[in-house]
Amino acid sequence: MNTNLIYKMIAKIYDLLDVVYFRDFAHSPRKVVLDRIEKEDRILDLCTGTATNAINIASKNPGTRVVGVDLSKQMLDVAKRKIREKRLRNIRLYQMDAMDLKFRSGCFDKVLISLVLHELEEDLARKLLAEAGRVLEEDGEIIVTEWEPSRKPGQRILFAPIGFLEPKPYKTFIHKDMDHYFGKYGFKVERYYHTDYTKVLVLKKVKGLEKEEDVKMTAGNNRADALSGKYERYLQETPMLDYGCASIRKLIRERGWKDLQDFEVPPPTLRLEVVDSDLGPHL
């Protein structure tokens, strides 16, 4: 079946997730994510889908600047309609590959990855997390939402179809040790929340000293061997330097959000579809 047709079908029913699995907002992952956001955060919602998390955040926190990216134009069309209905002016949507982001390094305070990683093979997950880490500021947070089987009898019955509908990587991902899984990509799990049908993990970048200690634990006293392995590869593939976000913050203070394109870095010759270009001058 044509991929566009598949996404067109999914986009029409995607918001049923909130009706079926997240209808109790107080115990849903949506609330946990929302509670982690501070009033002036710069937020990137990777694989935003129909932008439910992004819209919740932008609605509650008008001072935030929210960017959603997704490869599916069909999903983004639904998201754009929802944003217009709520007349939100602090969201931008881009049709963009989450593994090849066109944003400056270190320019987001929070990166959201919701119900995505269980669909990806290891090499794709590595690329996505590398990009998430690159665009995240040094002390920022990655907030991951993932499926988690419930122990409640009623919820276990409702959760059963998930295992049949999700792609092959789900079957192994669901049993992974999350500390080890994210640790090998250079992140540490800071907080762990159990919500209806899901878990929410708050990740922080592993900093220099912690990386060095981890290397010593991994390879004993042979630090050179360890660095020539996964950590050297990690450092090459996930640059986490701050390329001028202090100056960007200064410009924001001086010129304001609406006049500053502080995230985009595509050169003028690059054709990048800006899905929300008609939402008005405030973006």
Side-chain angles (χ1 to χ4, degrees):
M1 186 180 291
N2 182 276
T3 302
N4 287 333
L5 182 58
I6 293 173
Y7 276 116
K8 186 175 182 179
M9 294 169 58
I10 294 174
K12 291 180 178 180
I13 62 171
Y14 192 77
D15 285 339
L16 286 176
L17 277 177
D18 286 82
V19 176
V20 176
Y21 294 104
F22 306 145
R23 61 182 180 272
D24 182 0
F25 186 78
H27 298 95
S28 78
R30 307 294 193 198
K31 183 178 187 302
V32 173
V33 171
L34 196 58
D35 288 346
R36 298 293 308 184
I37 303 303
E38 298 179 21
K39 62 181 181 180
E40 294 185 356
D41 275 345
R42 303 158 300 166
I43 298 146
L44 174 62
D45 189 13
L46 290 180
C47 307
T48 190
T50 58
T52 299
N53 273 330
I55 290 170
N56 287 344
I57 292 166
S59 299
K60 183 179 178 181
N61 302 286
T64 57
R65 289 155 290 160
V66 186
V67 175
V69 303
D70 204 289
L71 270 179
S72 168
K73 185 179 184 299
Q74 291 78 15
M75 290 284 198
L76 292 172
D77 285 342
V78 175
K80 182 167 62 171
R81 188 190 71 241
K82 290 162 64 176
I83 291 168
R84 281 176 172 160
E85 289 173 355
K86 292 185 175 290
R87 303 184 67 82
L88 296 171
R89 296 295 181 179
N90 54 336
I91 301 181
R92 295 178 179 181
L93 298 177
Y94 295 94
Q95 187 174 11
M96 188 183 298
D97 187 349
M99 299 172 204
D100 184 24
L101 298 171
K102 308 303 180 183
F103 304 125
R104 294 187 180 95
S105 298
C107 282
F108 292 98
D109 302 295
K110 304 283 194 318
V111 176
L112 312 182
I113 307 175
S114 300
L115 301 177
V116 173
L117 293 173
H118 68 268
E119 298 183 351
L120 304 179
E121 298 289 355
E122 286 278 338
D123 60 330
L124 296 180
R126 174 182 56 78
K127 292 176 182 178
L128 185 142
L129 287 167
E131 278 293 86
R134 181 183 65 80
V135 300
L136 184 70
E137 75 164 3
E138 203 60 33
D139 293 319
E141 294 179 350
I142 295 179
I143 304 175
V144 175
T145 300
E146 271 302 336
W147 293 118
E148 183 175 59
S150 176
R151 296 180 180 179
K152 299 176 183 179
Q155 289 189 358
R156 287 176 64 183
I157 294 171
L158 197 55
F159 187 84
I162 297 295
F164 295 101
L165 295 172
E166 292 291 357
K168 183 179 177 181
Y170 166 85
K171 294 176 175 57
T172 54
F173 181 90
I174 200 73
H175 300 295
K176 289 183 182 294
D177 179 288
M178 293 290 97
D179 290 296
H180 175 73
Y181 177 81
F182 290 110
K184 68 184 179 181
Y185 297 124
F187 299 100
K188 180 179 181 181
V189 179
E190 291 280 320
R191 293 291 302 272
Y192 202 123
Y193 301 88
H194 296 280
T195 52
D196 283 350
Y197 306 99
T198 51
K199 56 196 172 195
V200 179
L201 299 92
V202 178
L203 312 181
K204 302 277 277 189
K205 292 181 183 180
V206 176
K207 297 187 178 180
L209 182 59
E210 293 175 284
K211 289 177 186 174
E212 184 173 336
E213 290 301 315
D214 196 8
V215 169
K216 290 178 180 177
M217 290 175 63
T218 303
N221 294 324
N222 195 349
R223 185 170 182 274
D225 286 346
L227 284 175
S228 67
K230 69 174 184 178
Y231 278 92
E232 182 177 346
R233 183 169 67 253
Y234 163 73
L235 291 171
Q236 290 173 349
E237 294 175 349
T238 59
M240 291 182 180
L241 298 176
D242 186 343
Y243 293 108
C245 272
S247 61
I248 290 173
R249 287 176 182 271
K250 181 179 178 182
L251 286 171
I252 291 171
R253 288 194 299 270
E254 293 174 353
R255 295 168 53 187
W257 160 247
K258 73 177 185 128
D259 296 320
L260 179 65
Q261 295 180 334
D262 59 337
F263 298 128
E264 297 87 339
V265 293
T269 55
L270 178 61
R271 296 184 179 274
L272 174 65
E273 181 175 354
V274 182
V275 178
D276 64 350
S277 60
D278 58 345
L279 287 182
H282 295 288
L283 288 178

